[in-house]
Amino acid sequence: MASTPTTAPLRSAEEVVANSRALIPGLRERIFATEELRALPDATIEDADKAGIFSLLLPRSLGGSGGDLAQAVEVMRTLAQGDPTAAWTLGFLMCHNYLLARWPQEALDEFFKDGRPAQMAGVANPPGRAKAVEGGYRVSGRWSYCSGVMHAEWVSLIGLVEGEDVPSFFLVPRDEVTVHDTWDVSGMKGSGSHDVEVADLFVPEHLVRSLATEFTRRSPGSELHAEPLYGYDSRDLVMLIVPVVMLGGAEAILEGYRERLGKRRAAFSPTLTGDTTAGQTRFARATATLRTASALLDAMVRRITEANAAGPDELSAELRTMCELDCQTIARLTWDAAQICLQGSGSSIFRSGDITQHYVRDLLTLRGHATIDDDHILGKAGALLLGRDAEVKGGLVGQ
């Protein structure tokens, strides 16, 4: 059943960022309950709603905080320090409100008719099939990895209309979608990323939109909302989710490792690990690695923001490719830092009640995400850097 957010009071984006920090203890306390449920507990959804997380990126005209890219990144990174699974799911629900607000006014009147943020889950490839009929389309298909669907009111499907070359988004009510219980995994358990399916479902025309109007700076929302973020290509935000959540999770692992250095004895020695050269060196290496990842993230966010502020032109394919490379590099560095900590932590972290192993499983699962696929991104960036590719074309969600 979807968890319905209340009509929370309007908050500034700065308040929401501050509120996200206060959620960390509760997220950590509920980590194993989240894994057992294979969804976020109601308390997590309620706390996030009260904190204003879902409204952060909505424009003020829709009751939101009108937050910017840097603030979205900071909130997701902070939530991941509490629980990467929760940060992933809450981050999607937050970002999906931004995506919904980019639709034309007729759709906005339906999504936000209750004066509160909407809850939407979404899927990407492979596209389903759609056929144009009077007043809309008939859609059929089955899609995997629908993160957050257990908390959604809406589901965004991707389908290819007969006779068209570019897929379209189809927005459908959650209760018209069949959810198949397929998310039986070791990491990111609580994201509830089950398969979803529809069969010959009618979708009215005003809830259908070509991808060509999404992966551009000129979406319908850019004409409706004054906030600068609505003049961005949606990929500028969505491609950051994986590396940002991984960074926050790795920072939590480093925090736990620091505490362990003050308690754990070195092997076959009465000396605390933190008092050994090996322990100190390992902690310094992990810290330096995460500082490098953090600096790269900050530079990328600044570069995207400055490029969008410079004028109305689309960001170049070359810049997008370099940003994808940065995302992949941040993900790699965060996993490297996590491994440095793990190798100096002993076997006790793998006890079932130790949350460190939860962070590890989450990060390892995210490390395999398609949007940071090593072979694809490194090959694409290498071709560009070597001048072997005359034209670099982007695909779905930062690819």
Side-chain angles (χ1 to χ4, degrees), residues 53-120:
I53 303 298
F54 305 132
S55 301
L56 173 65
L57 300 181
L58 281 177
R60 293 174 183 84
S61 61
L62 291 175
S65 301
D68 60 25
L69 184 64
Q71 289 163 331
V73 165
E74 186 170 356
V75 165
M76 289 188 287
R77 179 176 175 177
T78 299
L79 294 175
Q81 292 166 6
D83 178 7
T85 292
W88 175 263
T89 308
L90 297 175
F92 264 105
L93 295 174
M94 176 185 75
C95 294
H96 285 173
N97 269 282
Y98 164 71
L99 297 182
L100 287 173
R102 292 166 61 89
W103 281 63
Q105 187 64 55
E106 185 178 3
L108 299 189
D109 293 341
E110 188 161 353
F111 299 148
F112 303 106
K113 61 185 177 183
D114 297 327
R116 56 178 177 78
Q119 304 287 62
M120 184 189 83

Side-chain angles (χ1 to χ4, degrees), residues 229-245:
L229 190 62
Y230 285 89
Y232 287 28
D233 185 311
S234 62
R235 290 173 295 181
D236 296 345
L237 169 66
V238 176
M239 72 175 177
L240 298 176
I241 298 176
V242 172
V244 167
V245 171

Side-chain angles (χ1 to χ4, degrees), residues 25-362:
L27 294 177
R28 290 180 177 176
E29 289 173 6
R30 293 189 286 267
I31 275 178
F32 294 112
T34 299
E35 290 200 326
E36 185 176 353
L37 286 170
R38 292 189 300 143
L40 299 189
D42 289 344
T44 295
I45 295 292
E46 292 166 4
D47 285 353
D49 180 41
K50 291 175 184 177
I53 303 298
F54 305 132
S55 301
L56 173 65
L57 300 181
L58 281 177
R60 293 174 183 84
S61 61
L62 291 175
S65 301
D68 60 25
L69 184 64
Q71 289 163 331
V73 165
E74 186 170 356
V75 165
M76 289 188 287
R77 179 176 175 177
T78 299
L79 294 175
Q81 292 166 6
D83 178 7
T85 292
W88 175 263
T89 308
L90 297 175
F92 264 105
L93 295 174
M94 176 185 75
C95 294
H96 285 173
N97 269 282
Y98 164 71
L99 297 182
L100 287 173
R102 292 166 61 89
W103 281 63
Q105 187 64 55
E106 185 178 3
L108 299 189
D109 293 341
E110 188 161 353
F111 299 148
F112 303 106
K113 61 185 177 183
D114 297 327
R116 56 178 177 78
Q119 304 287 62
M120 184 189 83
V123 294
N125 288 329
R129 306 175 309 280
K131 182 178 181 179
V133 296
E134 184 177 356
Y137 299 83
R138 290 281 178 183
V139 184
S140 297
R142 178 166 173 164
W143 300 259
S144 299
Y145 302 108
C146 194
S147 295
V149 68
M150 305 309 292
H151 310 286
E153 303 163 291
W154 294 89
V155 178
S156 174
L157 306 173
I158 288 184
L160 189 62
V161 178
E162 289 182 4
E164 297 186 5
D165 297 326
V166 179
S168 294
F169 291 110
F170 297 83
L171 265 291
V172 301
R174 159 68 177 78
D175 58 12
E176 295 183 5
V177 172
T178 298
V179 177
H180 296 282
D181 189 340
T182 56
W183 194 243
D184 188 8
V185 293
S186 61
M188 302 295 291
K189 288 184 176 182
S191 68
S193 305
H194 301 292
D195 286 11
V196 294
E197 184 175 15
V198 298
D200 198 35
L201 177 66
F202 175 75
V203 183
E205 191 170 1
H206 73 282
L207 297 180
V208 179
R209 203 171 132 221
S210 171
L211 265 69
T213 67
E214 181 60 48
F215 298 149
T216 174
R217 297 184 63 185
R218 297 171 181 83
S219 72
S222 66
E223 303 296 325
L224 297 172
H225 312 307
E227 287 79 2
L229 190 62
Y230 285 89
Y232 287 28
D233 185 311
S234 62
R235 290 173 295 181
D236 296 345
L237 169 66
V238 176
M239 72 175 177
L240 298 176
I241 298 176
V242 172
V244 167
V245 171
M246 288 192 68
L247 178 56
E251 288 171 330
I253 291 174
L254 181 65
E255 177 188 337
Y257 181 53
R258 178 171 189 154
E259 294 176 1
R260 197 170 290 109
L261 287 171
K263 300 176 182 178
R264 181 174 180 262
R265 304 288 177 180
F268 310 109
S269 169
T271 305
L272 289 173
T273 311
D275 291 330
T276 66
T277 300
Q280 294 162 359
T281 301
R282 187 176 293 279
F283 184 76
R285 285 175 56 211
T287 300
T289 303
L290 288 185
R291 282 171 57 86
T292 302
S294 180
L296 187 57
L297 173 64
D298 291 344
M300 177 171 52
V301 170
R302 185 167 56 251
R303 189 163 62 251
I304 292 171
T305 302
E306 291 173 352
N308 278 290
D313 293 340
E314 301 287 341
L315 273 61
S316 69
E318 290 76 15
L319 175 56
R320 290 205 177 282
T321 299
M322 290 299 98
C323 287
E324 291 169 14
L325 180 60
D326 288 348
C327 287
Q328 186 275 338
T329 303
I330 293 166
R332 174 176 55 79
L333 289 171
T334 57
W335 180 242
D336 288 348
Q339 288 181 297
I340 293 170
C341 295
L342 296 179
Q343 290 163 3
S345 295
S347 60
S348 64
I349 61 171
F350 294 102
R351 291 174 177 163
S352 58
D354 192 311
I355 63 173
T356 300
Q357 47 87 13
H358 166 82
Y359 293 123
V360 172
R361 288 185 279 108
D362 277 4

